[in-house]
Amino acid sequence: MRSSGRNSRGSGSGGKNYRGAGNRRDEQQQRAGRPRPEERRYDAGGGPKAGPKGSQGGPKGSQGSQGGPRTGSQGSQGGGPKAGGPKGGGRGRKPGPARPREYEAQIEERNRARHDKPRVKMPKTFGEQEGERLQKVLARAGMGSRRACEELIDQARVEVNGKIVTEQGLRVDPEKDEIKVDGLTVATQSYLFFALNKPAGVVSTMEDPDGRQCLGDYVTNRETRLFHVGRLDTETEGIILLTNHGELAHRLTHPRYGVRKTYLAAIQGPLPRDLGKRLKSGIELEDGYARADHFRVVQNTGKNYLVEVSLHEGRKHIVRRMLAEAGFPVDKLVRTAFGPIALGDQKSGWLRRLTNTEVGMLMREVEL
């Protein structure tokens, strides 16, 4: 019996030692920041002696049971499935059902409609001003850099609608306003002006249904359609103007404005001294009299003469007919000038763009 008592006391001392080791382990876990075993939660808990509803540690989780399932609310009175369900309070509540996609789409449409309102149109006094700055228009027309165009304005050499401009920053409409520099109109619009030295054998049309070489063969790949100003005979060489400015082309060929054309003609002599006087006085043709504005002999080699004839007539074959009627048929004919635009040393078949000064002189010639 004594031995059994010692054994029991030994077991008791052994129990004390076990509890002491457990306390030391709990202290170490607390220092490490881990909860004690009895403070941990488990998905399922409770001892075999689980009581009825509301008892501690019961499977249905009431009154803040520490070992109950997570579905139970911590502070509920009288637990049960209803207390820990979706409708119950506490941290274990499940999220509600998601909103339908149609409802989400309606919300997004309302938000977009709220932000996609039309912009308020600002008054012109606060928005961009109409037109372009004068120096910018001049620079784009090829009159020089913007700084150079500003100097033209400072020198009072620029006119807008007949008034001399002396202040910088004036805004103009290139399509409507008439702009001149030194009295010459500046082509600020999107017009094109070309001079072609037409070779012999080229037809003075932009398209030829018979397939012959024509003016259109020299102006392919252009941004806009061009048309010729007047005509030249198929065998006549020289300068012919091409443009897309309809009013200018009309005036250049109209008898009212009398634009002068100059020709060089190769004829056979000898020539009488009064030939020039006869041509200026007028040669009677089948469609009326034709008069030359100017005549002179440029070159003479034996019987070969090269003469210059200027006239403002625009009738067909007018120079050839006049000289033939006077008794001197033309062997070769070249037009060397159309108004103020001279052929110069431009090679046969070459096309060049007119300068702004030349365009201005043409416009002044026909009062544009």
PDB file of all heavy atoms in Angstrom, residues 210-230:
ATOM      1  N   ASP A 210      -6.963  60.635-130.916  1.00  0.00           N
ATOM      2  CA  ASP A 210      -6.235  59.901-131.953  1.00  0.00           C
ATOM      3  C   ASP A 210      -4.907  59.356-131.450  1.00  0.00           C
ATOM      4  O   ASP A 210      -4.182  58.722-132.234  1.00  0.00           O
ATOM      5  CB  ASP A 210      -5.990  60.801-133.164  1.00  0.00           C
ATOM      6  CG  ASP A 210      -7.294  61.273-133.804  1.00  0.00           C
ATOM      7  OD1 ASP A 210      -8.283  60.511-133.716  1.00  0.00           O
ATOM      8  OD2 ASP A 210      -7.324  62.381-134.356  1.00  0.00           O
ATOM      9  N   GLY A 211      -4.585  59.620-130.186  1.00  0.00           N
ATOM     10  CA  GLY A 211      -3.355  59.083-129.628  1.00  0.00           C
ATOM     11  C   GLY A 211      -2.101  59.867-129.950  1.00  0.00           C
ATOM     12  O   GLY A 211      -0.981  59.389-129.697  1.00  0.00           O
ATOM     13  N   ARG A 212      -2.245  61.067-130.502  1.00  0.00           N
ATOM     14  CA  ARG A 212      -1.067  61.875-130.811  1.00  0.00           C
ATOM     15  C   ARG A 212      -0.509  62.504-129.534  1.00  0.00           C
ATOM     16  O   ARG A 212      -1.203  62.625-128.531  1.00  0.00           O
ATOM     17  CB  ARG A 212      -1.441  62.978-131.806  1.00  0.00           C
ATOM     18  CG  ARG A 212      -1.863  62.476-133.173  1.00  0.00           C
ATOM     19  CD  ARG A 212      -2.347  63.615-134.057  1.00  0.00           C
ATOM     20  NE  ARG A 212      -3.573  64.209-133.524  1.00  0.00           N
ATOM     21  CZ  ARG A 212      -4.210  65.250-134.049  1.00  0.00           C
ATOM     22  NH1 ARG A 212      -3.713  65.814-135.158  1.00  0.00           N
ATOM     23  NH2 ARG A 212      -5.311  65.721-133.514  1.00  0.00           N
ATOM     24  N   GLN A 213       0.739  62.901-129.598  1.00  0.00           N
ATOM     25  CA  GLN A 213       1.368  63.539-128.436  1.00  0.00           C
ATOM     26  C   GLN A 213       0.696  64.892-128.196  1.00  0.00           C
ATOM     27  O   GLN A 213       0.531  65.686-129.124  1.00  0.00           O
ATOM     28  CB  GLN A 213       2.859  63.725-128.665  1.00  0.00           C
ATOM     29  CG  GLN A 213       3.623  64.118-127.405  1.00  0.00           C
ATOM     30  CD  GLN A 213       5.121  64.166-127.639  1.00  0.00           C
ATOM     31  OE1 GLN A 213       5.572  64.133-128.767  1.00  0.00           O
ATOM     32  NE2 GLN A 213       5.883  64.251-126.561  1.00  0.00           N
ATOM     33  N   CYS A 214       0.333  65.142-126.930  1.00  0.00           N
ATOM     34  CA  CYS A 214      -0.399  66.354-126.600  1.00  0.00           C
ATOM     35  C   CYS A 214       0.171  66.981-125.328  1.00  0.00           C
ATOM     36  O   CYS A 214       1.107  66.450-124.713  1.00  0.00           O
ATOM     37  CB  CYS A 214      -1.891  66.056-126.435  1.00  0.00           C
ATOM     38  SG  CYS A 214      -2.236  64.868-125.122  1.00  0.00           S
ATOM     39  N   LEU A 215      -0.405  68.100-124.932  1.00  0.00           N
ATOM     40  CA  LEU A 215       0.083  68.822-123.748  1.00  0.00           C
ATOM     41  C   LEU A 215      -0.090  68.016-122.471  1.00  0.00           C
ATOM     42  O   LEU A 215       0.702  68.140-121.534  1.00  0.00           O
ATOM     43  CB  LEU A 215      -0.647  70.164-123.622  1.00  0.00           C
ATOM     44  CG  LEU A 215      -0.521  71.136-124.788  1.00  0.00           C
ATOM     45  CD1 LEU A 215      -1.358  72.378-124.534  1.00  0.00           C
ATOM     46  CD2 LEU A 215       0.931  71.510-125.023  1.00  0.00           C
ATOM     47  N   GLY A 216      -1.146  67.198-122.426  1.00  0.00           N
ATOM     48  CA  GLY A 216      -1.379  66.402-121.222  1.00  0.00           C
ATOM     49  C   GLY A 216      -0.261  65.434-120.904  1.00  0.00           C
ATOM     50  O   GLY A 216      -0.108  65.012-119.751  1.00  0.00           O
ATOM     51  N   ASP A 217       0.550  65.088-121.910  1.00  0.00           N
ATOM     52  CA  ASP A 217       1.663  64.179-121.661  1.00  0.00           C
ATOM     53  C   ASP A 217       2.776  64.826-120.836  1.00  0.00           C
ATOM     54  O   ASP A 217       3.625  64.127-120.297  1.00  0.00           O
ATOM     55  CB  ASP A 217       2.248  63.692-122.991  1.00  0.00           C
ATOM     56  CG  ASP A 217       1.231  62.917-123.817  1.00  0.00           C
ATOM     57  OD1 ASP A 217       0.334  62.308-123.197  1.00  0.00           O
ATOM     58  OD2 ASP A 217       1.329  62.925-125.058  1.00  0.00           O
ATOM     59  N   TYR A 218       2.762  66.152-120.744  1.00  0.00           N
ATOM     60  CA  TYR A 218       3.821  66.868-120.017  1.00  0.00           C
ATOM     61  C   TYR A 218       3.402  67.266-118.609  1.00  0.00           C
ATOM     62  O   TYR A 218       4.223  67.785-117.853  1.00  0.00           O
ATOM     63  CB  TYR A 218       4.230  68.126-120.797  1.00  0.00           C
ATOM     64  CG  TYR A 218       4.871  67.829-122.129  1.00  0.00           C
ATOM     65  CD1 TYR A 218       4.101  67.692-123.277  1.00  0.00           C
ATOM     66  CD2 TYR A 218       6.249  67.675-122.240  1.00  0.00           C
ATOM     67  CE1 TYR A 218       4.674  67.412-124.506  1.00  0.00           C
ATOM     68  CE2 TYR A 218       6.847  67.393-123.464  1.00  0.00           C
ATOM     69  CZ  TYR A 218       6.052  67.266-124.592  1.00  0.00           C
ATOM     70  OH  TYR A 218       6.637  66.976-125.806  1.00  0.00           O
ATOM     71  N   VAL A 219       2.144  67.046-118.253  1.00  0.00           N
ATOM     72  CA  VAL A 219       1.666  67.497-116.935  1.00  0.00           C
ATOM     73  C   VAL A 219       1.005  66.356-116.181  1.00  0.00           C
ATOM     74  O   VAL A 219       0.037  66.552-115.452  1.00  0.00           O
ATOM     75  CB  VAL A 219       0.689  68.686-117.070  1.00  0.00           C
ATOM     76  CG1 VAL A 219       1.403  69.918-117.566  1.00  0.00           C
ATOM     77  CG2 VAL A 219      -0.466  68.332-118.010  1.00  0.00           C
ATOM     78  N   THR A 220       1.501  65.144-116.345  1.00  0.00           N
ATOM     79  CA  THR A 220       0.946  64.012-115.615  1.00  0.00           C
ATOM     80  C   THR A 220       1.363  64.071-114.154  1.00  0.00           C
ATOM     81  O   THR A 220       2.304  64.769-113.776  1.00  0.00           O
ATOM     82  CB  THR A 220       1.439  62.699-116.243  1.00  0.00           C
ATOM     83  OG1 THR A 220       2.880  62.703-116.247  1.00  0.00           O
ATOM     84  CG2 THR A 220       0.926  62.543-117.656  1.00  0.00           C
ATOM     85  N   ASN A 221       0.609  63.314-113.328  1.00  0.00           N
ATOM     86  CA  ASN A 221       0.890  63.211-111.881  1.00  0.00           C
ATOM     87  C   ASN A 221       0.796  64.559-111.182  1.00  0.00           C
ATOM     88  O   ASN A 221       1.558  64.857-110.260  1.00  0.00           O
ATOM     89  CB  ASN A 221       2.270  62.589-111.628  1.00  0.00           C
ATOM     90  CG  ASN A 221       2.383  61.197-112.196  1.00  0.00           C
ATOM     91  OD1 ASN A 221       1.402  60.452-112.197  1.00  0.00           O
ATOM     92  ND2 ASN A 221       3.554  60.843-112.677  1.00  0.00           N
ATOM     93  N   ARG A 222      -0.125  65.407-111.615  1.00  0.00           N
ATOM     94  CA  ARG A 222      -0.350  66.691-110.945  1.00  0.00           C
ATOM     95  C   ARG A 222      -1.490  66.546-109.947  1.00  0.00           C
ATOM     96  O   ARG A 222      -2.357  65.682-110.083  1.00  0.00           O
ATOM     97  CB  ARG A 222      -0.682  67.789-111.966  1.00  0.00           C
ATOM     98  CG  ARG A 222       0.474  68.070-112.918  1.00  0.00           C
ATOM     99  CD  ARG A 222       1.647  68.698-112.201  1.00  0.00           C
ATOM    100  NE  ARG A 222       2.836  68.749-113.050  1.00  0.00           N
ATOM    101  CZ  ARG A 222       4.017  69.150-112.625  1.00  0.00           C
ATOM    102  NH1 ARG A 222       4.175  69.497-111.363  1.00  0.00           N
ATOM    103  NH2 ARG A 222       5.050  69.171-113.432  1.00  0.00           N
ATOM    104  N   GLU A 223      -1.496  67.422-108.913  1.00  0.00           N
ATOM    105  CA  GLU A 223      -2.513  67.344-107.876  1.00  0.00           C
ATOM    106  C   GLU A 223      -3.896  67.710-108.394  1.00  0.00           C
ATOM    107  O   GLU A 223      -4.897  67.220-107.889  1.00  0.00           O
ATOM    108  CB  GLU A 223      -2.129  68.278-106.717  1.00  0.00           C
ATOM    109  CG  GLU A 223      -0.814  67.910-106.056  1.00  0.00           C
ATOM    110  CD  GLU A 223      -0.426  68.912-104.994  1.00  0.00           C
ATOM    111  OE1 GLU A 223      -1.165  69.906-104.834  1.00  0.00           O
ATOM    112  OE2 GLU A 223       0.607  68.709-104.337  1.00  0.00           O
ATOM    113  N   THR A 224      -3.962  68.579-109.389  1.00  0.00           N
ATOM    114  CA  THR A 224      -5.249  69.038-109.901  1.00  0.00           C
ATOM    115  C   THR A 224      -5.182  69.106-111.418  1.00  0.00           C
ATOM    116  O   THR A 224      -4.098  69.109-112.010  1.00  0.00           O
ATOM    117  CB  THR A 224      -5.588  70.425-109.329  1.00  0.00           C
ATOM    118  OG1 THR A 224      -6.881  70.814-109.788  1.00  0.00           O
ATOM    119  CG2 THR A 224      -4.566  71.458-109.745  1.00  0.00           C
ATOM    120  N   ARG A 225      -6.338  69.164-112.037  1.00  0.00           N
ATOM    121  CA  ARG A 225      -6.410  69.195-113.493  1.00  0.00           C
ATOM    122  C   ARG A 225      -6.029  70.582-114.000  1.00  0.00           C
ATOM    123  O   ARG A 225      -6.533  71.601-113.536  1.00  0.00           O
ATOM    124  CB  ARG A 225      -7.824  68.836-113.950  1.00  0.00           C
ATOM    125  CG  ARG A 225      -7.999  68.798-115.449  1.00  0.00           C
ATOM    126  CD  ARG A 225      -9.412  68.370-115.823  1.00  0.00           C
ATOM    127  NE  ARG A 225      -9.596  68.345-117.264  1.00  0.00           N
ATOM    128  CZ  ARG A 225      -9.965  69.399-117.981  1.00  0.00           C
ATOM    129  NH1 ARG A 225     -10.191  70.552-117.388  1.00  0.00           N
ATOM    130  NH2 ARG A 225     -10.126  69.293-119.292  1.00  0.00           N
ATOM    131  N   LEU A 226      -5.151  70.613-114.985  1.00  0.00           N
ATOM    132  CA  LEU A 226      -4.718  71.863-115.605  1.00  0.00           C
ATOM    133  C   LEU A 226      -5.327  71.978-116.991  1.00  0.00           C
ATOM    134  O   LEU A 226      -5.709  70.971-117.602  1.00  0.00           O
ATOM    135  CB  LEU A 226      -3.189  71.918-115.701  1.00  0.00           C
ATOM    136  CG  LEU A 226      -2.410  71.821-114.387  1.00  0.00           C
ATOM    137  CD1 LEU A 226      -0.920  71.738-114.675  1.00  0.00           C
ATOM    138  CD2 LEU A 226      -2.709  72.996-113.494  1.00  0.00           C
ATOM    139  N   PHE A 227      -5.403  73.200-117.510  1.00  0.00           N
ATOM    140  CA  PHE A 227      -5.838  73.408-118.884  1.00  0.00           C
ATOM    141  C   PHE A 227      -4.975  74.498-119.491  1.00  0.00           C
ATOM    142  O   PHE A 227      -4.382  75.327-118.785  1.00  0.00           O
ATOM    143  CB  PHE A 227      -7.332  73.759-118.973  1.00  0.00           C
ATOM    144  CG  PHE A 227      -7.778  74.789-117.988  1.00  0.00           C
ATOM    145  CD1 PHE A 227      -7.714  76.133-118.293  1.00  0.00           C
ATOM    146  CD2 PHE A 227      -8.259  74.413-116.744  1.00  0.00           C
ATOM    147  CE1 PHE A 227      -8.129  77.090-117.383  1.00  0.00           C
ATOM    148  CE2 PHE A 227      -8.686  75.359-115.831  1.00  0.00           C
ATOM    149  CZ  PHE A 227      -8.614  76.700-116.145  1.00  0.00           C
ATOM    150  N   HIS A 228      -4.879  74.488-120.807  1.00  0.00           N
ATOM    151  CA  HIS A 228      -3.964  75.393-121.515  1.00  0.00           C
ATOM    152  C   HIS A 228      -4.633  76.732-121.763  1.00  0.00           C
ATOM    153  O   HIS A 228      -5.858  76.837-121.908  1.00  0.00           O
ATOM    154  CB  HIS A 228      -3.502  74.766-122.837  1.00  0.00           C
ATOM    155  CG  HIS A 228      -4.629  74.298-123.703  1.00  0.00           C
ATOM    156  ND1 HIS A 228      -5.242  75.102-124.637  1.00  0.00           N
ATOM    157  CD2 HIS A 228      -5.268  73.104-123.757  1.00  0.00           C
ATOM    158  CE1 HIS A 228      -6.197  74.422-125.249  1.00  0.00           C
ATOM    159  NE2 HIS A 228      -6.245  73.207-124.726  1.00  0.00           N
ATOM    160  N   VAL A 229      -3.812  77.767-121.836  1.00  0.00           N
ATOM    161  CA  VAL A 229      -4.285  79.128-122.116  1.00  0.00           C
ATOM    162  C   VAL A 229      -4.030  79.397-123.592  1.00  0.00           C
ATOM    163  O   VAL A 229      -2.891  79.584-124.019  1.00  0.00           O
ATOM    164  CB  VAL A 229      -3.545  80.160-121.242  1.00  0.00           C
ATOM    165  CG1 VAL A 229      -4.053  81.565-121.540  1.00  0.00           C
ATOM    166  CG2 VAL A 229      -3.723  79.815-119.770  1.00  0.00           C
ATOM    167  N   GLY A 230      -5.082  79.411-124.378  1.00  0.00           N
ATOM    168  CA  GLY A 230      -4.913  79.594-125.822  1.00  0.00           C
ATOM    169  C   GLY A 230      -4.362  78.341-126.474  1.00  0.00           C
ATOM    170  O   GLY A 230      -4.288  77.258-125.873  1.00  0.00           O
TER     171      GLY A 230
END
